[in-house]
Amino acid sequence: MAGINQIEFDQIFIDWYYPVRNFIYYKTGNMQEAEDITQDTFLKLWEKKEKINKETAKSLLYTIANNLFLNKIEHSRVVLKFVNDYDSDEHLNGPDFDLEMKEFDLRLQDSLAQLDENNRSVFLMNRIDGMTYVQIAESLGLSVKAVEKRMGKAISFLKEKLNMRI
Amino acid sequence: MGRTENRLRDFHDLDTEQKILIRSSGYKVPDGISAEEALKLFREKLASRENDKVIIARRSRILCFTMAIAAGFLLLGGIRLLFFRSGEVTISAGTGSVKECMLSDGSKVVLNAGSFLVFRKKDFIENRNLTLSGEAFFDVVKGTPFTISAGCGKIKVHGTSFNIFARNGLFKVSCLTGSIEVSVSTESVILLPGESAELSENALVNYTEKYPERIKSWINGEFFYENTCLIDVFEEIERQFDVKIYSEGLKDKYFTGSFTNKDLKTALEIVCIPMDLDYEIGRNNKVFISQAIK
């Protein structure tokens, strides 16, 4: 049956707000912008809510978000800043370890920023949001093969960048 | 100290790909607003955009949803939206249908069959006063006090979700989240999540629900009863299936059990068999209940 009701819409909002916002953040590197685009994405979904169903809502969200991103964002150089969850317990880490991780993270994030945005978002959806290739494929309307390909490209690009100075 | 050296050595032993995969999976995006705050913001945006349009959603028994923007008179199946001169709006759900709507402040209401809700549309966000007849489940967003007059009682809330049943002198309020103030004439009680208040012999009695998940189970078409007057149960069946029930001698019978509003025959069997009753579905939505012949 076509159409989703208010309650279903709210549920979709709560369930998919973070993944969609992160998806845009991976592309822009700007949280404020990512939040704005995500709000606009849900407004567009709201307007279409009589015509869609729960199953298609998810992939539609990503499509709308990506289109809004392409229309809105000037493609400036992306700067990504992630905090690493692994290092939150500082007592366990010695200063040597912390320093080395910091340096590694800086170089990795710099390399990530240089990565093609499609490969980057697939890579980070898998690494940060813990989405499987199948889930990413469903969300972005791609084949699993295409997701594997993007992931492979991302990894080999990052490897190349990081090996350069070692 | 040794532990740290080990960790460092372990990391050095990894190849670049493993280092990349391990480090990146610990990354966290910068903090933003929470999904709940984002939803609130979204509702505010929607409310200011829709401004004085009233959105109504209609739900038929087979869960078919249609949306319509009301602009004047609107007739949709058994559901009517009437505007009076005073700016009052009535939203009603006819028998055999359940209706959901979002009020202009973002609060949600689900009206059970045979219920209606009256409020002033014009300055609703500042003065959230409503009158309910029948049964409804409310999910109220925070803001100015939200007051509902229902039957003989008054319910005052800020931001919470709860159920009201007010029919034929019966009055019952159940709180699901937040807290609410229920008052009947001079008496008033505060209800916390999972608590209910009922009017019994002109006194307001409050108690903790044994099965709080049943408070709004009617929204999914499930009706639970515990030692409830059989007449009240049959009245609910009348409203859910849009039928008229003819019966006799049920006055002192009480029912414990449940029925769903998917199928009339099943619902009648579930209620009648344990109560030693026979039923007959006649023409023109008539149902006849009689004592079972032994």
Side-chain angles (χ1 to χ4, degrees):
Chain A
M1 198 59 70
I4 49 171
N5 66 359
Q6 173 76 45
I7 292 165
E8 287 167 329
F9 181 87
D10 287 357
Q11 198 57 55
I12 291 169
F13 193 105
I14 296 290
D15 289 347
W16 289 95
Y17 179 79
Y18 294 125
V20 171
R21 183 202 64 184
N22 288 0
F23 169 66
I24 296 299
Y25 177 74
Y26 302 149
K27 286 169 177 278
T28 64
N30 181 325
M31 188 44 98
Q32 183 63 50
E33 242 161 19
E35 285 179 341
D36 290 349
I37 289 177
T38 310
Q39 284 283 338
D40 292 345
T41 301
F42 279 101
L43 273 175
K44 286 243 190 293
L45 189 79
W46 175 266
E47 287 164 358
K48 291 189 166 72
K49 74 187 171 78
E50 294 115 298
K51 295 176 197 130
I52 57 174
N53 59 47
K54 272 201 297 208
E55 288 68 41
T56 55
K58 178 176 68 175
S59 64
L60 200 61
L61 274 175
Y62 281 93
T63 311
I64 297 169
N66 196 39
N67 287 340
L68 287 172
F69 157 76
L70 291 172
N71 291 335
K72 210 171 178 178
I73 302 300
E74 279 182 44
H75 294 263
S76 51
R77 205 182 116 79
V78 173
V79 181
L80 293 164
K81 275 207 176 89
F82 296 112
V83 188
N84 206 315
D85 236 10
Y86 286 154
D87 305 334
S88 50
D89 198 354
E90 279 175 29
H91 301 291
L92 290 175
N93 306 323
D96 292 352
F97 184 78
D98 277 349
L99 199 72
E100 179 144 350
M101 289 308 112
K102 214 173 210 170
E103 206 196 304
F104 184 87
D105 282 346
L106 270 176
R107 288 176 52 212
L108 177 55
Q109 290 178 14
D110 189 49
S111 310
L112 275 168
Q114 292 171 48
L115 193 56
D116 169 82
E117 77 206 16
N118 286 326
N119 297 340
R120 179 173 59 231
S121 47
V122 166
F123 178 81
L124 293 175
M125 284 162 92
N126 173 262
R127 302 319 300 163
I128 297 182
D129 297 313
M131 292 169 80
T132 63
Y133 292 2
V134 175
Q135 286 170 334
I136 297 171
E138 277 173 3
S139 302
L140 302 184
L142 297 169
S143 67
V144 178
K145 266 254 163 332
V147 174
E148 280 169 3
K149 216 168 165 183
R150 288 188 185 187
M151 200 66 191
K153 275 187 184 167
I155 292 170
S156 57
F157 178 87
L158 296 172
K159 248 161 75 176
E160 197 189 318
K161 284 276 167 196
L162 287 164
N163 280 335
M164 268 200 315
R165 274 187 293 156
I166 288 176
Chain B
M1 212 39 217
R3 196 197 157 96
T4 305
E5 281 160 17
N6 279 344
R7 279 193 74 174
L8 203 54
R9 206 180 322 124
D10 286 348
F11 191 73
H12 286 156
D13 284 347
L14 300 171
D15 67 31
T16 314
E17 181 168 337
Q18 287 169 318
K19 286 179 187 170
I20 291 169
L21 292 177
I22 286 180
R23 288 307 291 174
S24 60
S25 64
Y27 288 167
K28 241 174 39 182
V29 300
D31 284 339
I33 58 170
S34 72
E36 286 75 18
E37 287 168 321
L39 180 58
K40 219 183 130 197
L41 191 71
F42 176 81
R43 284 180 180 156
E44 282 163 15
K45 274 190 186 172
L46 208 62
S48 69
R49 224 177 50 140
E50 301 283 315
N51 217 350
D52 50 2
K53 289 177 194 165
V54 178
I55 307 160
I56 57 163
R58 168 186 182 265
R59 188 168 85 170
S60 77
R61 224 179 307 157
I62 48 163
L63 288 169
C64 163
F65 289 89
T66 50
M67 289 282 303
I69 288 162
F73 254 101
L74 195 83
L75 278 157
L76 243 178
I79 287 154
R80 284 162 302 176
L81 189 78
L82 306 165
F83 291 85
F84 294 106
R85 281 239 172 92
S86 60
E88 277 189 345
V89 184
T90 301
I91 298 175
S92 62
T95 47
S97 74
V98 166
K99 189 177 168 204
E100 288 190 32
C101 54
M102 190 166 117
L103 304 173
S104 52
D105 65 338
S107 297
K108 270 183 303 202
V109 187
V110 188
L111 278 177
N112 200 352
S115 308
F116 62 89
L117 189 68
V118 186
F119 58 94
R120 277 172 60 89
K121 197 184 75 169
K122 212 179 148 198
D123 49 359
F124 183 72
I125 291 169
E126 294 84 61
N127 298 301
R128 302 195 293 177
N129 300 317
L130 308 95
T131 307
L132 169 77
S133 168
E135 180 168 23
F137 181 79
F138 289 85
D139 196 345
V140 175
V141 297
K142 285 202 169 84
T144 55
F146 192 100
T147 313
I148 303 153
S149 305
C152 50
K154 236 184 178 146
I155 298 96
K156 203 167 120 186
V157 304
H158 291 275
T160 166
S161 64
F162 55 99
N163 194 68
I164 302 177
F165 183 97
R167 299 183 193 276
N168 316 327
L170 295 174
F171 178 73
K172 182 183 171 183
V173 183
S174 308
C175 177
L176 203 69
T177 61
S179 66
I180 49 180
E181 189 185 323
V182 182
S183 48
V184 173
S185 57
T186 54
E187 264 188 289
S188 71
V189 291
I190 302 270
L191 296 182
L192 296 172
E195 292 182 337
S196 289
E198 223 175 302
L199 195 68
S200 169
E201 291 168 356
N202 287 324
L204 207 51
V205 182
N206 62 321
Y207 55 92
T208 304
E209 283 282 349
K210 237 194 281 177
Y211 307 104
E213 69 278 11
R214 293 181 181 172
I215 289 173
K216 58 173 199 173
S217 64
W218 64 264
I219 293 173
N220 303 319
E222 293 170 56
F223 296 82
F224 292 91
Y225 297 96
E226 216 167 327
N227 222 5
T228 307
C229 188
L230 199 52
I231 294 169
D232 296 332
V233 178
F234 279 124
E235 282 184 359
E236 192 61 61
I237 291 179
E238 287 186 318
R239 287 188 293 268
Q240 292 304 316
F241 296 97
D242 196 14
V243 293
K244 182 91 191 88
I245 295 178
Y246 296 87
S247 63
E248 265 182 39
L250 301 181
K251 223 177 178 177
D252 294 310
K253 288 189 191 290
Y254 295 88
F255 176 72
T256 298
S258 66
F259 73 85
T260 66
N261 64 4
K262 305 287 175 293
D263 177 44
L264 175 63
K265 209 166 159 268
T266 316
L268 287 169
E269 270 173 16
I270 281 172
V271 179
C272 290
I273 292 171
M275 301 303 294
D276 249 347
L277 298 167
D278 274 343
Y279 68 90
E280 197 192 330
I281 302 174
R283 285 196 299 173
N284 300 329
N285 297 337
K286 284 178 181 161
V287 177
F288 301 91
I289 306 286
S290 57
Q291 303 289 332
I293 303 153
K294 282 180 187 164

